[in-house]
Amino acid sequence: MLLINGKYQNQVVTGVQRVAHELSGGLPYGHIQVAGDGLKGHFYEQFILPFKLSRNDLLISFCNTGPIFHRNQVVYIHDVAVLEHPEWFSKSFRLLYRVMLPLLARRCKTIVTVSEYSKEKICQLLSVPASKVHVIENGVSDRFAAEEGGDYELSYGLEKKKYILSVSSMDPRKNMVSVIQAWEASGLHQAGYKLVFAGGGNASFSNANDNKAQDCSSIIYTGYVEDDVLVNLYQQAAGFVYMSLYEGFGLPVLEAMKAGVPVLASNTTSLAEVVGDYGLSCDPLDIKEITNLMNELPYQEDGFVSKAKLYADSFSWNKAVDKLQALLKEVE
């Protein structure tokens, strides 16, 4: 029987949880049971879930972890940032993953990841053959597409097309510091624009709040926002900036493109692969270049933005589900 590790259902929806919800919702319900009973955390996953499964049950775990004691398992490992940059994470988180990820990678039947960059790093750092790791790129929901003539009421005192948006958790690798320094050097806030950071904190990250600017009236932190508010923020932004130091995929840049918003992203890790020629890009530590390109964001030509939107349209969750189903048939 095919089952899904349902631990993500008890978690706040950020990147990996969004992938889990989108993919599990697209699989045929007649063949799926969600393996989860409301208990949170790794204890349930490692010490309760395995004993609810038979040896023949094929389990899908979408969010970087799964029960080590169940070998008949397809595991999504979105990235191995915790192994490459342990300094970004809390001590307990990095100790857990240093032990869990190598064991899980060796014992599971197959690994799915979301970019060629992540595949390369998984093979390198977890010592698994390339044949065991399959790339299935994420999709982008149609709900991010801007509605023609839509008139929405914005929260946080924002004006339509008068702010630059960044969507990320309060995670050191998201590199909010560079964005803030570039913003303070740019002319946009003097022209009446705001810089909006949408996203919450997470105990897994170290020194998350160190990213925040303490005194800047043109910078707004919304904290975690629900999907309807997030879609609204995307659709009415004048530009989107994402200077992350490390990404396994970088879904927010495609969400912004889908919403018809010009994108400025860093050229590191998987982002160069995902953004391609459809957004502005630069070194995430080059403050001068970030500043110059950020100043250009609200003035990008419609043709450039339209091409980026068509590109984002090519990433669909239906396509990702089809690829996953094909893979499951191979490993069953």
Side-chain angles (χ1 to χ4, degrees):
M1 181 178 288
L2 177 63
L3 298 102
I4 291 177
N5 181 347
K7 192 177 74 169
Y8 67 91
Q9 294 183 328
N10 299 309
Q11 298 173 332
V12 172
V13 178
T14 56
V16 296
Q17 291 81 16
R18 185 177 301 283
V19 174
H21 282 285
E22 294 285 358
L23 293 180
S24 62
L27 293 170
Y29 285 103
H31 298 85
I32 287 176
Q33 294 180 8
V34 174
D37 62 1
L39 293 177
K40 295 181 180 180
H42 296 290
F43 180 84
Y44 165 76
E45 184 176 63
Q46 298 301 325
F47 300 108
I48 298 178
L49 176 56
F51 302 102
K52 294 188 172 187
L53 305 173
S54 73
R55 183 177 298 180
N56 294 326
D57 286 335
L58 177 62
L59 181 70
I60 310 173
S61 295
F62 283 115
C63 298
N64 296 318
T65 67
I68 292 170
F69 297 112
H70 190 71
R71 289 180 177 270
N72 193 20
Q73 182 176 188
V74 175
V75 180
Y76 262 72
I77 299 179
H78 296 258
D79 64 59
V80 285
V82 67
L83 302 182
E84 292 191 76
H85 293 281
E87 70 276 9
W88 293 339
F89 299 86
S90 67
K91 183 177 180 180
S92 60
F93 187 90
R94 62 179 181 255
L95 287 175
L96 175 66
Y97 278 76
R98 277 179 182 172
V99 173
M100 181 181 296
L101 282 179
L103 285 172
L104 190 58
R106 287 198 299 269
R107 294 174 65 87
C108 71
K109 181 171 282 187
T110 193
I111 296 168
V112 179
T113 194
V114 291
S115 66
E116 292 295 338
Y117 174 83
S118 284
K119 176 176 179 175
E120 177 185 348
K121 291 300 179 180
I122 288 167
C123 293
Q124 176 187 340
L125 296 174
L126 297 178
S127 301
V128 294
S131 59
K132 190 174 184 175
V133 185
H134 302 264
V135 175
I136 299 178
E137 295 172 320
N138 291 331
V140 187
S141 172
D142 288 338
R143 66 178 174 271
F144 291 101
E147 296 181 20
E148 295 295 329
D151 187 16
Y152 309 93
E153 182 178 351
L154 274 166
S155 304
Y156 312 105
L158 296 171
E159 297 179 46
K160 185 175 182 179
K161 301 301 180 183
K162 291 293 288 185
Y163 62 91
I164 304 298
L165 178 65
S166 186
V167 175
S168 71
S169 58
M170 296 293 179
D171 172 351
R173 66 171 160 167
K174 301 301 183 182
N175 192 30
M176 293 166 62
V177 171
S178 287
V179 177
I180 291 167
Q181 290 175 355
W183 176 257
E184 291 172 340
S186 79
L188 290 178
H189 59 98
Q190 296 172 355
Y193 286 83
K194 303 285 187 181
L195 174 63
V196 179
F197 288 107
N202 190 314
S204 299
F205 307 127
S206 63
N207 304 318
N209 288 324
D210 289 354
N211 281 321
K212 285 191 174 184
Q214 298 302 314
D215 296 301
C216 187
S217 59
S218 63
I219 299 179
I220 296 171
Y221 302 92
T222 69
Y224 178 79
V225 296
E226 298 295 337
D227 278 358
D228 57 342
V229 177
L230 180 62
V231 169
N232 194 2
L233 286 171
Y234 271 122
Q235 291 176 347
Q236 301 201 54
F240 181 82
V241 62
Y242 201 69
M243 284 293 114
S244 180
L245 300 173
Y246 187 107
E247 290 295 326
F249 186 78
L251 186 55
V253 297
L254 290 180
E255 291 172 346
M257 290 179 187
K258 185 88 171 183
V261 176
V263 165
L264 168 59
S266 65
N267 57 9
T268 60
T269 60
S270 68
L271 285 170
E273 175 186 339
V274 172
V275 174
D277 296 325
Y278 298 95
L280 305 177
S281 62
C282 67
D283 182 337
L285 299 178
D286 187 339
I287 305 304
K288 183 177 180 180
E289 185 66 5
I290 299 169
T291 302
N292 291 337
L293 292 176
M294 191 185 297
N295 282 332
E296 295 177 14
L297 271 179
Y299 310 108
Q300 293 302 298
E301 294 180 359
D302 290 343
F304 179 75
V305 175
S306 297
K307 287 180 181 178
K309 186 180 184 305
L310 286 173
Y311 169 68
D313 287 344
S314 70
F315 292 82
S316 77
W317 290 115
N318 287 338
K319 187 184 297 185
V321 168
D322 289 344
K323 290 181 179 180
L324 178 56
Q325 286 183 306
L327 177 60
L328 293 173
K329 288 180 180 178
E330 290 181 16
V331 301
E332 274 184 314

